[in-house]
Amino acid sequence: DFETSSRSNSTSLSRRYRPIFFDEIVGQGTAVQSLVAAVSSRRIDPFYLFAGPRGTGKTSTARIFAAALNCLAAEGIRPCGVCGKCDGYVSGRASYLTELDGSSSSARIRKTAASAALKVFAVKECHLLLPSSSFLRLLEKHRRRSAAVFVFITSDADNVPEAIRSRCRKLVFGRIGSDGVLSRLAKISADENFDVDAEALDLIVSNADGSLKDAETILEQLSLLGKRITIPLVNDLMGVVSDEKLLELLEIAMSSNAMETVIRSRELLDSGIDPTVVVSQMASLIVDIIAASHRCAAAAEESSSSDPLSLSEDELNRLNLALSLLSDSEKHIRISSERSTWFTATLLQLGCLPGSSSSASSRRKLTSSTGKDKSSRSECMNSSSSSSELLNRIWEQCIEKCRSKTLRRLLLEHGRLASISDVQGGLLVAHIAFRDRNLKTRAECYLGSIATSLESVLRRNIEARIVLSPESKTT
Ligand SMILES: [Zn+2]
């Protein structure tokens, strides 16, 4: 089965606390209400599309929906949780529910579909289905027989084949508000007798960024440490940024190197660090730098010689501006539901401060005035070797983000990120090169997914273009 990896971990918190009833789905009122209404009026559409970010309850809802449709209870709430049909479902095995992956072969789907009574097919990652797939013919057949309900699940609704989208009743799953995630974590902590600080739960919630699944996973990992769950412990697990890393990020941001700034910021956030923590750490680092510079200046005055470590007035002004920018945005980030976006935006603004010439001498001074000197990084897009190194790194991250194994292999073995160019209006155009026409054609089927993966790496609007490598065969 496609779920084997998560099933083998059958005692995880997410599984033990998986919702059984509709009212246990957190923060998806509208979507859940319309399904409850459909179940109780028995007006069921043959095709549904559940669209929303990962970890927001789409698959759980599809499972509950399947149970509700098959529940034997004559009246009252369905699923009832106790009848013969619900029994299998509660214990995690429902014969009427088949979970499929959009990147899997259609042959497999046809085989499982043969014994359908009122079967429910949950098709995850349905944006990876190919529009030409025989799966769509199967859909037509089922539409005529209406022996099954298909629930298509996607985190990428824009790339779902039109043939599917047009047939479906679409239900939108939004990011779960922090209150919803928090009360769920509080309930689990109470039930499991976790020794946990309320502030630590808040920090977990802010790290999970609207994904209940992520929040539960973090809580579980912390609980396995067997200690009282405190803010320092959460920070430990999430990783705290070293001053050196922070300084490097600050230099890159202030040198107006937008692309590198975005990449570094993503790397940092992907490692699970709370953006508010980074911003306040960065602010205190700047205070340190300014203080160090003042000490240098005072010392220089006494010995009446100019000190290379003291910052010029311009540089001090810029740092002061950066400081007030950071403290302003810290407030925004704290209350925002799009923390990572705000964080990246803040860093990009650091590069737009007046006087932002990325002069190497000011960069060196910034580094040396805190006494943490190290070999300076090459300016990333200037020399061709470092630029291709950067492209490779982006490409690796992009491949990792692709959900389909087939696609990952195709990109890894045959694809190359040839260039990224900045177009007016904030759009980046990425050229992905393949050596021969067949591979290029195959890759073009996945254009949307590739662009989405690149977007999640770079946090910018991306237009992906598949091209032939110059050294390619023309057959
Ligand atoms: Zn039942």
Side-chain angles (χ1 to χ4, degrees):
D1 211 320
F2 293 96
E3 278 291 276
T4 40
S5 58
S6 61
R7 277 197 190 129
S8 64
N9 188 13
S10 63
T11 54
S12 77
L13 275 188
S14 312
R15 285 201 65 77
R16 256 183 293 150
Y17 285 86
R18 94 195 140 91
I20 303 285
F21 303 105
F22 276 123
D23 62 4
E24 291 175 303
I25 294 289
V26 179
Q28 304 299 353
T30 317
V32 165
Q33 275 161 28
S34 69
L35 291 175
V36 170
V39 168
S40 59
S41 65
R42 296 196 186 270
R43 295 170 69 107
I44 314 297
D45 287 289
F47 305 111
Y48 289 85
L49 178 63
F50 291 3
R54 62 179 290 272
T56 52
K58 300 184 297 296
T59 305
S60 299
T61 304
R63 290 173 184 153
I64 297 171
F65 186 43
L69 293 177
N70 285 275
C71 174
L72 300 173
E75 51 188 29
I77 294 166
R78 281 188 298 256
C80 69
V82 291
C83 73
K85 293 284 186 186
C86 287
D87 203 36
Y89 155 70
V90 170
S91 62
R93 277 274 161 213
S95 58
Y96 43 79
L97 173 66
T98 309
E99 293 182 23
L100 303 157
D101 196 283
S103 59
S104 65
S105 76
S106 54
R108 207 191 139 74
I109 297 167
R110 196 178 300 126
K111 205 172 117 210
T112 36
S115 64
L118 183 59
K119 279 222 152 206
V120 176
F121 293 87
V123 187
K124 299 186 229 178
E125 307 291 337
C126 68
H127 52 272
L128 296 176
L129 285 169
L130 298 180
S132 60
S133 150
S134 55
F135 189 77
L136 297 176
R137 285 196 295 278
L138 183 79
L139 282 190
E140 274 311 318
K141 222 163 81 187
H142 273 286
R143 191 143 104 134
R144 287 192 294 272
R145 279 195 288 164
S146 77
V149 175
F150 283 84
V151 178
F152 294 95
I153 296 173
T154 185
S155 53
D156 183 11
D158 293 342
N159 283 313
V160 174
E162 177 59 26
I164 292 174
R165 227 180 335 160
S166 58
R167 286 170 172 79
C168 287
R169 172 178 293 270
K170 181 178 174 185
L171 299 181
V172 175
F173 288 68
R175 275 187 203 285
I176 305 170
S178 36
D179 288 354
V181 182
L182 186 62
S183 63
R184 185 80 185 154
L185 291 192
K187 185 193 183 314
I188 294 175
S189 302
D191 289 358
E192 295 284 314
N193 268 324
F194 288 159
D195 189 11
V196 57
D197 285 352
E199 297 82 13
L201 283 188
D202 284 335
L203 187 54
I204 295 173
V205 170
S206 71
N207 272 295
D209 203 16
S211 162
L212 182 59
K213 203 183 208 168
D214 288 355
E216 287 174 347
T217 307
I218 298 170
L219 179 63
E220 168 156 53
Q221 287 172 344
L222 288 163
S223 73
L224 293 176
L225 299 174
K227 296 182 200 161
R228 179 174 179 80
I229 299 172
T230 57
I231 286 189
L233 196 67
V234 178
N235 276 332
D236 258 7
L237 182 80
M238 298 289 136
V240 191
V241 205
S242 70
D243 276 357
E244 193 186 9
K245 229 177 165 179
L246 213 54
L247 187 64
E248 203 180 352
L249 184 63
L250 182 63
E251 282 175 7
I252 292 166
M254 291 188 74
S255 73
S256 318
N257 186 337
M259 193 185 293
E260 180 78 334
T261 302
V262 170
I263 292 167
R264 291 310 183 91
S265 146
R266 284 308 307 159
E267 280 177 356
L268 201 61
L269 296 173
D270 283 348
S271 67
I273 289 165
D274 184 349
T276 52
V277 174
V278 183
V279 168
S280 66
Q281 266 187 281
M282 200 173 261
S284 51
L285 183 70
I286 293 178
V287 172
D288 287 349
I289 294 171
I290 294 174
S293 166
H294 281 309
R295 275 197 303 276
C296 291
E301 214 161 292
E302 257 170 45
S303 63
S304 69
S305 67
S306 77
D307 189 299
L309 285 188
S310 67
L311 299 170
S312 73
E313 203 163 320
D314 272 4
E315 288 163 333
L316 274 176
N317 280 342
R318 281 191 72 212
L319 284 176
N320 278 317
L321 286 172
L323 195 57
S324 70
L325 178 72
L326 286 173
S327 69
D328 275 354
S329 67
E330 191 187 349
K331 289 168 215 145
H332 281 298
I333 294 172
R334 222 171 259 291
I335 56 168
S336 168
S337 58
E338 291 288 342
R339 287 163 166 246
S340 27
T341 312
W342 263 104
F343 174 70
T344 309
T346 301
L347 292 183
L348 289 172
Q349 283 176 57
L350 286 177
C352 303
L353 294 173
S356 304
S357 62
S358 59
S359 96
S361 82
S362 84
R363 280 171 50 117
R364 263 201 308 280
K365 256 183 206 164
L366 200 55
T367 309
S368 53
S369 63
T370 55
K372 283 159 191 147
D373 208 353
K374 60 192 153 17
S375 61
S376 87
R377 291 177 44 81
S378 54
E379 299 268 344
C380 76
M381 295 305 280
N382 287 0
S383 78
S384 65
S385 72
S386 63
S387 133
S388 75
E389 186 189 304
L390 179 60
L391 289 171
N392 285 340
R393 201 162 71 219
I394 297 171
W395 189 231
E396 274 167 23
Q397 291 186 17
C398 164
I399 293 173
E400 259 172 48
K401 299 263 178 198
C402 293
R403 303 299 296 261
S404 151
K405 259 189 210 155
T406 321
L407 175 58
R408 279 206 298 270
R409 198 176 315 130
L410 175 70
L411 298 183
L412 193 65
E413 289 173 7
H414 305 289
R416 186 170 62 83
L417 183 57
S419 70
I420 295 181
S421 38
D422 223 327
V423 174
Q424 289 288 321
L427 185 77
L428 292 179
V429 175
H431 288 96
I432 296 128
F434 284 82
R435 279 187 313 277
D436 80 59
R437 250 172 232 295
N438 290 335
L439 293 168
K440 174 175 175 274
T441 310
R442 270 179 67 197
E444 272 162 355
C445 299
Y446 291 103
L447 209 51
S449 302
I450 297 171
T452 305
S453 298
L454 279 170
E455 275 173 353
S456 72
V457 174
L458 296 169
R459 287 266 160 170
R460 292 275 298 270
N461 291 329
I462 302 282
E463 186 185 320
R465 290 180 193 160
I466 310 285
V467 295
L468 273 178
S469 289
E471 65 270 31
S472 66
K473 298 163 279 184
T474 45
T475 43

